[in-house]
PDB file of all heavy atoms in Angstrom:
ATOM      1  N   LYS A   1      76.190 108.717 123.840  1.00  0.00           N
ATOM      2  CA  LYS A   1      75.638 109.069 122.500  1.00  0.00           C
ATOM      3  C   LYS A   1      75.437 107.800 121.670  1.00  0.00           C
ATOM      4  O   LYS A   1      74.759 106.850 122.086  1.00  0.00           O
ATOM      5  CB  LYS A   1      76.586 110.044 121.814  1.00  0.00           C
ATOM      6  CG  LYS A   1      76.877 111.307 122.615  1.00  0.00           C
ATOM      7  CD  LYS A   1      75.664 112.132 122.886  1.00  0.00           C
ATOM      8  CE  LYS A   1      75.943 113.479 123.479  1.00  0.00           C
ATOM      9  NZ  LYS A   1      76.511 113.427 124.868  1.00  0.00           N
ATOM     10  N   THR A   2      76.011 107.789 120.448  1.00  0.00           N
ATOM     11  CA  THR A   2      75.749 106.710 119.537  1.00  0.00           C
ATOM     12  C   THR A   2      76.336 105.383 119.992  1.00  0.00           C
ATOM     13  O   THR A   2      75.922 104.297 119.534  1.00  0.00           O
ATOM     14  CB  THR A   2      76.352 107.023 118.158  1.00  0.00           C
ATOM     15  OG1 THR A   2      77.719 107.354 118.286  1.00  0.00           O
ATOM     16  CG2 THR A   2      75.629 108.209 117.534  1.00  0.00           C
ATOM     17  N   PHE A   3      77.293 105.410 120.916  1.00  0.00           N
ATOM     18  CA  PHE A   3      77.872 104.145 121.436  1.00  0.00           C
ATOM     19  C   PHE A   3      76.894 103.446 122.408  1.00  0.00           C
ATOM     20  O   PHE A   3      77.203 102.368 122.862  1.00  0.00           O
ATOM     21  CB  PHE A   3      79.212 104.408 122.084  1.00  0.00           C
ATOM     22  CG  PHE A   3      80.366 104.412 121.107  1.00  0.00           C
ATOM     23  CD1 PHE A   3      80.310 105.139 119.946  1.00  0.00           C
ATOM     24  CD2 PHE A   3      81.522 103.661 121.334  1.00  0.00           C
ATOM     25  CE1 PHE A   3      81.315 105.166 119.024  1.00  0.00           C
ATOM     26  CE2 PHE A   3      82.581 103.641 120.421  1.00  0.00           C
ATOM     27  CZ  PHE A   3      82.460 104.398 119.268  1.00  0.00           C
ATOM     28  N   ALA A   4      75.764 104.115 122.679  1.00  0.00           N
ATOM     29  CA  ALA A   4      74.740 103.505 123.460  1.00  0.00           C
ATOM     30  C   ALA A   4      73.445 103.343 122.643  1.00  0.00           C
ATOM     31  O   ALA A   4      72.355 103.162 123.179  1.00  0.00           O
ATOM     32  CB  ALA A   4      74.435 104.325 124.720  1.00  0.00           C
ATOM     33  N   LYS A   5      73.613 103.379 121.327  1.00  0.00           N
ATOM     34  CA  LYS A   5      72.461 103.181 120.413  1.00  0.00           C
ATOM     35  C   LYS A   5      72.383 101.731 120.018  1.00  0.00           C
ATOM     36  O   LYS A   5      73.352 101.139 119.523  1.00  0.00           O
ATOM     37  CB  LYS A   5      72.656 104.078 119.142  1.00  0.00           C
ATOM     38  CG  LYS A   5      71.534 103.859 118.155  1.00  0.00           C
ATOM     39  CD  LYS A   5      71.715 104.689 116.886  1.00  0.00           C
ATOM     40  CE  LYS A   5      70.549 104.504 115.945  1.00  0.00           C
ATOM     41  NZ  LYS A   5      70.715 105.270 114.673  1.00  0.00           N
ATOM     42  N   MET A   6      71.235 101.125 120.213  1.00  0.00           N
ATOM     43  CA  MET A   6      71.056  99.679 119.917  1.00  0.00           C
ATOM     44  C   MET A   6      69.584  99.406 119.736  1.00  0.00           C
ATOM     45  O   MET A   6      68.717 100.163 120.125  1.00  0.00           O
ATOM     46  CB  MET A   6      71.600  98.838 121.073  1.00  0.00           C
ATOM     47  CG  MET A   6      70.983  99.094 122.413  1.00  0.00           C
ATOM     48  SD  MET A   6      72.021  98.667 123.800  1.00  0.00           S
ATOM     49  CE  MET A   6      73.364  99.867 123.680  1.00  0.00           C
ATOM     50  N   ASN A   7      69.302  98.294 119.047  1.00  0.00           N
ATOM     51  CA  ASN A   7      67.963  97.787 118.825  1.00  0.00           C
ATOM     52  C   ASN A   7      67.791  96.439 119.509  1.00  0.00           C
ATOM     53  O   ASN A   7      68.558  95.534 119.197  1.00  0.00           O
ATOM     54  CB  ASN A   7      67.665  97.632 117.351  1.00  0.00           C
ATOM     55  CG  ASN A   7      67.723  98.895 116.590  1.00  0.00           C
ATOM     56  OD1 ASN A   7      67.596  99.990 117.124  1.00  0.00           O
ATOM     57  ND2 ASN A   7      67.955  98.800 115.291  1.00  0.00           N
ATOM     58  N   PRO A   8      66.806  96.225 120.382  1.00  0.00           N
ATOM     59  CA  PRO A   8      65.946  97.283 120.932  1.00  0.00           C
ATOM     60  C   PRO A   8      66.771  98.225 121.847  1.00  0.00           C
ATOM     61  O   PRO A   8      67.840  97.837 122.295  1.00  0.00           O
ATOM     62  CB  PRO A   8      64.916  96.489 121.719  1.00  0.00           C
ATOM     63  CG  PRO A   8      65.599  95.252 122.092  1.00  0.00           C
ATOM     64  CD  PRO A   8      66.530  94.915 120.939  1.00  0.00           C
ATOM     65  N   PRO A   9      66.250  99.424 122.114  1.00  0.00           N
ATOM     66  CA  PRO A   9      67.059 100.390 122.830  1.00  0.00           C
ATOM     67  C   PRO A   9      67.113 100.124 124.336  1.00  0.00           C
ATOM     68  O   PRO A   9      66.365  99.341 124.883  1.00  0.00           O
ATOM     69  CB  PRO A   9      66.307 101.711 122.559  1.00  0.00           C
ATOM     70  CG  PRO A   9      64.894 101.261 122.432  1.00  0.00           C
ATOM     71  CD  PRO A   9      64.923  99.923 121.734  1.00  0.00           C
ATOM     72  N   LEU A  10      68.087 100.796 124.967  1.00  0.00           N
ATOM     73  CA  LEU A  10      68.082 100.894 126.412  1.00  0.00           C
ATOM     74  C   LEU A  10      66.827 101.589 126.840  1.00  0.00           C
ATOM     75  O   LEU A  10      66.454 102.650 126.285  1.00  0.00           O
ATOM     76  CB  LEU A  10      69.306 101.640 126.893  1.00  0.00           C
ATOM     77  CG  LEU A  10      70.653 101.060 126.479  1.00  0.00           C
ATOM     78  CD1 LEU A  10      71.781 102.015 126.871  1.00  0.00           C
ATOM     79  CD2 LEU A  10      70.873  99.706 127.142  1.00  0.00           C
ATOM     80  N   ARG A  11      66.147 101.095 127.869  1.00  0.00           N
ATOM     81  CA  ARG A  11      64.871 101.685 128.246  1.00  0.00           C
ATOM     82  C   ARG A  11      65.000 102.281 129.681  1.00  0.00           C
ATOM     83  O   ARG A  11      66.062 102.763 130.074  1.00  0.00           O
ATOM     84  CB  ARG A  11      63.789 100.627 128.150  1.00  0.00           C
ATOM     85  CG  ARG A  11      63.631 100.116 126.723  1.00  0.00           C
ATOM     86  CD  ARG A  11      62.258  99.510 126.464  1.00  0.00           C
ATOM     87  NE  ARG A  11      62.189  98.856 125.207  1.00  0.00           N
ATOM     88  CZ  ARG A  11      61.903  99.451 124.006  1.00  0.00           C
ATOM     89  NH1 ARG A  11      61.680 100.752 123.992  1.00  0.00           N
ATOM     90  NH2 ARG A  11      61.838  98.749 122.882  1.00  0.00           N
ATOM     91  N   THR A  12      63.913 102.216 130.434  1.00  0.00           N
ATOM     92  CA  THR A  12      63.865 102.899 131.721  1.00  0.00           C
ATOM     93  C   THR A  12      64.418 102.012 132.831  1.00  0.00           C
ATOM     94  O   THR A  12      64.645 100.823 132.643  1.00  0.00           O
ATOM     95  CB  THR A  12      62.425 103.310 132.065  1.00  0.00           C
ATOM     96  OG1 THR A  12      61.664 102.056 132.302  1.00  0.00           O
ATOM     97  CG2 THR A  12      61.734 104.048 130.949  1.00  0.00           C
ATOM     98  N   ASP A  13      64.582 102.644 133.979  1.00  0.00           N
ATOM     99  CA  ASP A  13      65.053 101.865 135.141  1.00  0.00           C
ATOM    100  C   ASP A  13      64.030 100.807 135.535  1.00  0.00           C
ATOM    101  O   ASP A  13      64.376  99.721 136.029  1.00  0.00           O
ATOM    102  CB  ASP A  13      65.408 102.769 136.321  1.00  0.00           C
ATOM    103  CG  ASP A  13      66.208 102.047 137.400  1.00  0.00           C
ATOM    104  OD1 ASP A  13      67.265 101.478 137.040  1.00  0.00           O
ATOM    105  OD2 ASP A  13      65.756 102.016 138.541  1.00  0.00           O
ATOM    106  N   TRP A  14      62.748 101.129 135.367  1.00  0.00           N
ATOM    107  CA  TRP A  14      61.704 100.137 135.604  1.00  0.00           C
ATOM    108  C   TRP A  14      61.872  98.927 134.745  1.00  0.00           C
ATOM    109  O   TRP A  14      61.749  97.776 135.213  1.00  0.00           O
ATOM    110  CB  TRP A  14      60.321 100.765 135.396  1.00  0.00           C
ATOM    111  CG  TRP A  14      59.166  99.831 135.632  1.00  0.00           C
ATOM    112  CD1 TRP A  14      58.648  99.456 136.832  1.00  0.00           C
ATOM    113  CD2 TRP A  14      58.494  99.031 134.635  1.00  0.00           C
ATOM    114  NE1 TRP A  14      57.617  98.535 136.632  1.00  0.00           N
ATOM    115  CE2 TRP A  14      57.478  98.256 135.285  1.00  0.00           C
ATOM    116  CE3 TRP A  14      58.562  98.950 133.239  1.00  0.00           C
ATOM    117  CZ2 TRP A  14      56.637  97.407 134.630  1.00  0.00           C
ATOM    118  CZ3 TRP A  14      57.732  98.075 132.566  1.00  0.00           C
ATOM    119  CH2 TRP A  14      56.761  97.315 133.265  1.00  0.00           C
ATOM    120  N   ASP A  15      62.102  99.125 133.457  1.00  0.00           N
ATOM    121  CA  ASP A  15      62.322  98.019 132.522  1.00  0.00           C
ATOM    122  C   ASP A  15      63.552  97.184 132.951  1.00  0.00           C
ATOM    123  O   ASP A  15      63.549  95.971 132.946  1.00  0.00           O
ATOM    124  CB  ASP A  15      62.521  98.521 131.107  1.00  0.00           C
ATOM    125  CG  ASP A  15      61.254  99.160 130.524  1.00  0.00           C
ATOM    126  OD1 ASP A  15      60.271  98.425 130.378  1.00  0.00           O
ATOM    127  OD2 ASP A  15      61.256 100.339 130.262  1.00  0.00           O
ATOM    128  N   ARG A  16      64.632  97.896 133.318  1.00  0.00           N
ATOM    129  CA  ARG A  16      65.857  97.200 133.734  1.00  0.00           C
ATOM    130  C   ARG A  16      65.587  96.314 134.962  1.00  0.00           C
ATOM    131  O   ARG A  16      66.016  95.166 135.011  1.00  0.00           O
ATOM    132  CB  ARG A  16      66.942  98.250 134.040  1.00  0.00           C
ATOM    133  CG  ARG A  16      68.320  97.608 134.345  1.00  0.00           C
ATOM    134  CD  ARG A  16      69.321  98.688 134.786  1.00  0.00           C
ATOM    135  NE  ARG A  16      68.932  99.263 136.065  1.00  0.00           N
ATOM    136  CZ  ARG A  16      69.224  98.736 137.267  1.00  0.00           C
ATOM    137  NH1 ARG A  16      69.909  97.575 137.334  1.00  0.00           N
ATOM    138  NH2 ARG A  16      68.819  99.311 138.364  1.00  0.00           N
ATOM    139  N   GLU A  17      64.837  96.849 135.919  1.00  0.00           N
ATOM    140  CA  GLU A  17      64.533  96.101 137.107  1.00  0.00           C
ATOM    141  C   GLU A  17      63.628  94.895 136.795  1.00  0.00           C
ATOM    142  O   GLU A  17      63.728  93.831 137.403  1.00  0.00           O
ATOM    143  CB  GLU A  17      63.874  97.004 138.172  1.00  0.00           C
ATOM    144  CG  GLU A  17      64.866  98.016 138.773  1.00  0.00           C
ATOM    145  CD  GLU A  17      64.176  98.953 139.763  1.00  0.00           C
ATOM    146  OE1 GLU A  17      62.934  98.867 139.892  1.00  0.00           O
ATOM    147  OE2 GLU A  17      64.884  99.756 140.377  1.00  0.00           O
ATOM    148  N   LYS A  18      62.707  95.060 135.850  1.00  0.00           N
ATOM    149  CA  LYS A  18      61.834  93.945 135.458  1.00  0.00           C
ATOM    150  C   LYS A  18      62.655  92.848 134.777  1.00  0.00           C
ATOM    151  O   LYS A  18      62.405  91.651 134.933  1.00  0.00           O
ATOM    152  CB  LYS A  18      60.770  94.458 134.497  1.00  0.00           C
ATOM    153  CG  LYS A  18      59.711  95.330 135.143  1.00  0.00           C
ATOM    154  CD  LYS A  18      58.755  94.544 136.029  1.00  0.00           C
ATOM    155  CE  LYS A  18      57.762  93.785 135.166  1.00  0.00           C
ATOM    156  NZ  LYS A  18      56.710  93.109 135.989  1.00  0.00           N
ATOM    157  N   ILE A  19      63.701  93.240 133.997  1.00  0.00           N
ATOM    158  CA  ILE A  19      64.585  92.229 133.359  1.00  0.00           C
ATOM    159  C   ILE A  19      65.297  91.466 134.456  1.00  0.00           C
ATOM    160  O   ILE A  19      65.396  90.225 134.410  1.00  0.00           O
ATOM    161  CB  ILE A  19      65.499  92.909 132.384  1.00  0.00           C
ATOM    162  CG1 ILE A  19      64.714  93.397 131.165  1.00  0.00           C
ATOM    163  CG2 ILE A  19      66.613  91.959 131.955  1.00  0.00           C
ATOM    164  CD1 ILE A  19      65.497  94.297 130.250  1.00  0.00           C
ATOM    165  N   ILE A  20      65.826  92.167 135.445  1.00  0.00           N
ATOM    166  CA  ILE A  20      66.529  91.467 136.566  1.00  0.00           C
ATOM    167  C   ILE A  20      65.566  90.572 137.295  1.00  0.00           C
ATOM    168  O   ILE A  20      65.937  89.432 137.671  1.00  0.00           O
ATOM    169  CB  ILE A  20      67.156  92.542 137.490  1.00  0.00           C
ATOM    170  CG1 ILE A  20      68.328  93.250 136.774  1.00  0.00           C
ATOM    171  CG2 ILE A  20      67.656  91.852 138.786  1.00  0.00           C
ATOM    172  CD1 ILE A  20      68.909  94.412 137.537  1.00  0.00           C
ATOM    173  N   GLU A  21      64.355  91.035 137.513  1.00  0.00           N
ATOM    174  CA  GLU A  21      63.337  90.170 138.169  1.00  0.00           C
ATOM    175  C   GLU A  21      63.118  88.896 137.320  1.00  0.00           C
ATOM    176  O   GLU A  21      62.998  87.780 137.857  1.00  0.00           O
ATOM    177  CB  GLU A  21      62.038  90.938 138.282  1.00  0.00           C
ATOM    178  CG  GLU A  21      60.838  90.205 138.848  1.00  0.00           C
ATOM    179  CD  GLU A  21      59.581  91.002 138.783  1.00  0.00           C
ATOM    180  OE1 GLU A  21      59.528  92.095 139.413  1.00  0.00           O
ATOM    181  OE2 GLU A  21      58.584  90.559 138.131  1.00  0.00           O
ATOM    182  N   GLY A  22      63.070  89.054 135.990  1.00  0.00           N
ATOM    183  CA  GLY A  22      62.907  87.892 135.107  1.00  0.00           C
ATOM    184  C   GLY A  22      64.058  86.971 135.129  1.00  0.00           C
ATOM    185  O   GLY A  22      63.877  85.744 135.031  1.00  0.00           O
ATOM    186  N   LEU A  23      65.252  87.502 135.275  1.00  0.00           N
ATOM    187  CA  LEU A  23      66.440  86.663 135.431  1.00  0.00           C
ATOM    188  C   LEU A  23      66.394  85.870 136.735  1.00  0.00           C
ATOM    189  O   LEU A  23      66.777  84.694 136.796  1.00  0.00           O
ATOM    190  CB  LEU A  23      67.682  87.528 135.340  1.00  0.00           C
ATOM    191  CG  LEU A  23      68.096  88.053 133.978  1.00  0.00           C
ATOM    192  CD1 LEU A  23      69.061  89.209 134.085  1.00  0.00           C
ATOM    193  CD2 LEU A  23      68.672  86.951 133.107  1.00  0.00           C
ATOM    194  N   LYS A  24      65.952  86.522 137.780  1.00  0.00           N
ATOM    195  CA  LYS A  24      65.920  85.903 139.096  1.00  0.00           C
ATOM    196  C   LYS A  24      64.914  84.735 139.155  1.00  0.00           C
ATOM    197  O   LYS A  24      65.193  83.706 139.792  1.00  0.00           O
ATOM    198  CB  LYS A  24      65.594  86.914 140.176  1.00  0.00           C
ATOM    199  CG  LYS A  24      66.706  87.918 140.406  1.00  0.00           C
ATOM    200  CD  LYS A  24      66.261  89.081 141.340  1.00  0.00           C
ATOM    201  CE  LYS A  24      66.020  88.647 142.740  1.00  0.00           C
ATOM    202  NZ  LYS A  24      65.753  89.836 143.598  1.00  0.00           N
ATOM    203  N   ASP A  25      63.740  84.899 138.516  1.00  0.00           N
ATOM    204  CA  ASP A  25      62.754  83.859 138.613  1.00  0.00           C
ATOM    205  C   ASP A  25      62.730  82.894 137.396  1.00  0.00           C
ATOM    206  O   ASP A  25      61.828  82.088 137.248  1.00  0.00           O
ATOM    207  CB  ASP A  25      61.340  84.437 138.854  1.00  0.00           C
ATOM    208  CG  ASP A  25      60.760  85.177 137.657  1.00  0.00           C
ATOM    209  OD1 ASP A  25      61.384  85.138 136.565  1.00  0.00           O
ATOM    210  OD2 ASP A  25      59.676  85.769 137.813  1.00  0.00           O
ATOM    211  N   ASN A  26      63.787  83.018 136.567  1.00  0.00           N
ATOM    212  CA  ASN A  26      63.966  82.165 135.424  1.00  0.00           C
ATOM    213  C   ASN A  26      62.945  82.329 134.308  1.00  0.00           C
ATOM    214  O   ASN A  26      62.811  81.485 133.381  1.00  0.00           O
ATOM    215  CB  ASN A  26      64.020  80.668 135.791  1.00  0.00           C
ATOM    216  CG  ASN A  26      65.406  80.290 136.295  1.00  0.00           C
ATOM    217  OD1 ASN A  26      66.407  80.751 135.787  1.00  0.00           O
ATOM    218  ND2 ASN A  26      65.412  79.416 137.307  1.00  0.00           N
ATOM    219  N   THR A  27      62.229  83.481 134.324  1.00  0.00           N
ATOM    220  CA  THR A  27      61.436  83.818 133.176  1.00  0.00           C
ATOM    221  C   THR A  27      62.439  84.031 132.001  1.00  0.00           C
ATOM    222  O   THR A  27      62.157  83.678 130.861  1.00  0.00           O
ATOM    223  CB  THR A  27      60.639  85.103 133.417  1.00  0.00           C
ATOM    224  OG1 THR A  27      59.658  84.815 134.424  1.00  0.00           O
ATOM    225  CG2 THR A  27      59.915  85.571 132.148  1.00  0.00           C
ATOM    226  N   ILE A  28      63.547  84.651 132.313  1.00  0.00           N
ATOM    227  CA  ILE A  28      64.629  84.832 131.355  1.00  0.00           C
ATOM    228  C   ILE A  28      65.760  83.852 131.725  1.00  0.00           C
ATOM    229  O   ILE A  28      66.372  83.983 132.764  1.00  0.00           O
ATOM    230  CB  ILE A  28      65.181  86.265 131.357  1.00  0.00           C
ATOM    231  CG1 ILE A  28      64.040  87.272 131.079  1.00  0.00           C
ATOM    232  CG2 ILE A  28      66.327  86.458 130.344  1.00  0.00           C
ATOM    233  CD1 ILE A  28      64.434  88.727 131.268  1.00  0.00           C
ATOM    234  N   GLU A  29      65.986  82.866 130.847  1.00  0.00           N
ATOM    235  CA  GLU A  29      66.960  81.812 131.200  1.00  0.00           C
ATOM    236  C   GLU A  29      68.308  82.059 130.617  1.00  0.00           C
ATOM    237  O   GLU A  29      69.287  81.399 131.024  1.00  0.00           O
ATOM    238  CB  GLU A  29      66.484  80.442 130.650  1.00  0.00           C
ATOM    239  CG  GLU A  29      65.121  80.005 131.078  1.00  0.00           C
ATOM    240  CD  GLU A  29      64.099  80.193 129.979  1.00  0.00           C
ATOM    241  OE1 GLU A  29      64.191  81.211 129.317  1.00  0.00           O
ATOM    242  OE2 GLU A  29      63.228  79.335 129.852  1.00  0.00           O
ATOM    243  N   ILE A  30      68.435  82.962 129.637  1.00  0.00           N
ATOM    244  CA  ILE A  30      69.656  83.069 128.860  1.00  0.00           C
ATOM    245  C   ILE A  30      70.207  84.473 128.860  1.00  0.00           C
ATOM    246  O   ILE A  30      69.436  85.473 128.738  1.00  0.00           O
ATOM    247  CB  ILE A  30      69.417  82.632 127.388  1.00  0.00           C
ATOM    248  CG1 ILE A  30      69.056  81.149 127.338  1.00  0.00           C
ATOM    249  CG2 ILE A  30      70.597  82.945 126.505  1.00  0.00           C
ATOM    250  CD1 ILE A  30      68.667  80.632 125.970  1.00  0.00           C
TER     251      ILE A  30
END
């Protein structure tokens, strides 16, 4: 419930996998 409310919000599994992909290829460094 509200303990998972945040900005920006938790999104879909596709978004989560894209973030992991970005971490792996250093698109996301931090």
Side-chain angles (χ1 to χ4, degrees):
K1 306 296 190 294
T2 54
F3 275 48
K5 179 181 180 181
M6 59 205 66
N7 297 338
L10 300 172
R11 300 202 188 274
T12 68
D13 194 54
W14 179 82
D15 293 296
R16 186 186 67 84
E17 290 178 355
K18 290 285 286 186
I19 290 169
I20 291 173
E21 177 186 299
L23 287 163
K24 290 170 70 173
D25 71 5
N26 279 324
T27 296
I28 303 172
E29 304 103 321
I30 294 173

